[in-house]
Amino acid sequence: MSTVHENYRAAARPLGELLRTVRGDRWSDPSPCEGWSAADVVRHLIGTQRSFLEGVGVALPDVPDVDDDPAEAWTVHERVMLDLLSDPEVTERSYEGMFGTTTVARTLDTYYVFDMIAHRWDVARAVGGDTELTEAEVDRLEAALETFGEHAYMEGVFVRGPEAPPGASRQERVLARMGRGV
């Protein structure tokens, strides 16, 4: 399997596990993303990934509606994505991105894997789940933030939040850089 396939699966697996633990009205609990519920975060993850792929000409099958069952919608979406990431015709497709010519694999690996890790934390925080990230996940978030630079604070991405308090863990410091209060 390709690196992007492995990285995507590594981020998607714990996200899916978390989503399958959410019950009933917890989906409407507010997330740390202003104005978004836990279900809205799932809608964002699925919607942005699908929009990106459709924008570079990848045909996608339908997935269940997030409003009906966010966890099931994610499960089906994850299967679709992993199937697509097994196809070099998809992963090696190039296009003109914000930072120049790139590939689908690179964008998914750089941005969307990052997004799944960050938003898993958001959903966990919303529903009272496990918010602990692995060291490898914190490494990925931190490295991506360095790569994004000031683009991380463009409209609709992150907001600058207060700095992490003295003595904060590395995870807390990285999350603070993404506007997530700890």
Side-chain angles (χ1 to χ4, degrees), residues 41-181:
V41 173
V42 177
R43 182 177 296 102
H44 161 77
L45 287 167
I46 293 171
T48 56
Q49 290 179 25
R50 291 179 63 85
S51 178
F52 163 66
L53 288 169
E54 289 168 346
V56 295
V58 177
L60 299 168
D62 290 336
V63 297
D65 191 327
V66 171
D67 289 332
D68 294 335
D69 185 342
E72 179 62 17
W74 176 260
T75 298
V76 173
H77 172 74
E78 179 184 346
R79 272 195 307 264
V80 166
M81 291 298 294
L82 290 173
D83 285 348
L84 288 170
L85 293 176
S86 297
D87 182 354
E89 188 175 305
V90 171
T91 58
E92 295 171 11
R93 187 174 296 193
S94 66
Y95 73 98
E96 285 301 314
M98 178 183 278
F99 302 107
T101 304
T102 191
T103 64
V104 167
R106 184 175 173 132
T107 299
L108 286 168
D109 198 31
T110 302
Y111 182 73
Y112 292 99
V113 169
F114 166 91
D115 208 35
M116 289 187 296
I117 295 167
H119 285 309
R120 184 182 92 231
W121 184 88
D122 293 329
V123 172
R125 184 77 181 255
V127 302
D130 182 5
T131 58
E132 194 64 32
L133 302 175
T134 68
E135 284 299 313
E137 290 170 329
V138 175
D139 288 346
R140 180 172 275 276
L141 294 179
E142 191 169 51
L145 286 169
E146 293 303 319
T147 301
F148 300 159
E150 286 303 306
H151 293 283
Y153 303 103
M154 292 172 37
E155 178 74 28
V157 184
F158 300 125
V159 296
R160 293 185 194 277
E163 287 191 26
S169 70
R170 185 166 156 250
Q171 175 178 315
E172 292 168 332
R173 290 191 308 272
V174 169
L175 290 168
R177 287 179 61 191
M178 297 169 20
R180 270 101 173 138

